Amino acid sequence: QVQLVESGGGLVQAGGSLRLSCAAAGRTSSSQTMGWFRLAPGKEREFVAAFRFRWGVGITEYADSAKGRFTISRDRAKNTMYLQMNSLKCEDTAVYYCAAKDRPGDVDVIDSYEYWGQGTQVTVSS
């Protein structure tokens, strides 16, 4: 089992920044893909960004809504993943979830992730 704990959410004004963290414990592995997803009021959970290591190189993928504003990173030594969010918009308001998986395949497929955190609330005010 893998335990994931998110932190760093909060209230921020539009245009501001936040950095989310996801601490992983348990049966962690650098070969696991880790990702961020979010759930906004009245919407379905959606992919935000993902990070995986391949031959020691970090590979990142982003949803179109996150490209150019969000940066995902991962510290293997600390078993922690981050999501730096800049130029935040009101529509970024959501609960952000950290997820991890051992399974191969597309990183934006929600059901492919085996492990999930409890989520952290991000609220962007105008």
Side-chain angles (χ1 to χ4, degrees):
Q1 287 292 326
V2 175
Q3 295 80 43
L4 302 172
V5 179
E6 304 95 335
S7 62
L11 174 64
V12 64
Q13 287 190 324
S17 299
L18 279 176
R19 188 176 83 153
L20 305 183
S21 298
C22 173
R27 197 178 60 82
T28 61
S29 168
S30 60
S31 66
Q32 290 168 334
T33 295
M34 296 187 72
W36 288 99
F37 293 80
R38 67 186 183 185
L39 179 62
K43 296 186 178 181
E44 295 185 351
R45 192 174 299 196
E46 65 176 6
F47 169 74
V48 177
F51 189 109
R52 53 184 168 169
F53 286 108
R54 285 299 179 266
W55 303 286
V57 178
I59 299 172
T60 59
E61 295 190 38
Y62 296 91
D64 288 343
S65 60
K67 288 177 182 176
R69 300 188 300 127
F70 295 0
T71 302
I72 189 172
S73 60
R74 194 165 158 185
D75 186 330
R76 281 189 286 187
K78 295 182 178 179
N79 274 339
T80 301
M81 178 176 67
Y82 305 95
L83 184 69
Q84 177 67 43
M85 305 187 294
N86 298 328
S87 302
L88 282 162
K89 306 174 182 180
C90 293
E91 50 263 44
D92 294 318
T93 294
V95 177
Y96 283 71
Y97 296 89
C98 169
K101 65 172 182 170
D102 295 308
R103 301 166 182 161
D106 294 339
V107 300
D108 60 344
V109 177
I110 294 172
D111 291 343
S112 69
Y113 285 79
E114 301 146 279
Y115 311 107
W116 290 85
Q118 292 301 307
T120 185
Q121 176 71 48
V122 171
T123 303
V124 184
S125 64
S126 59

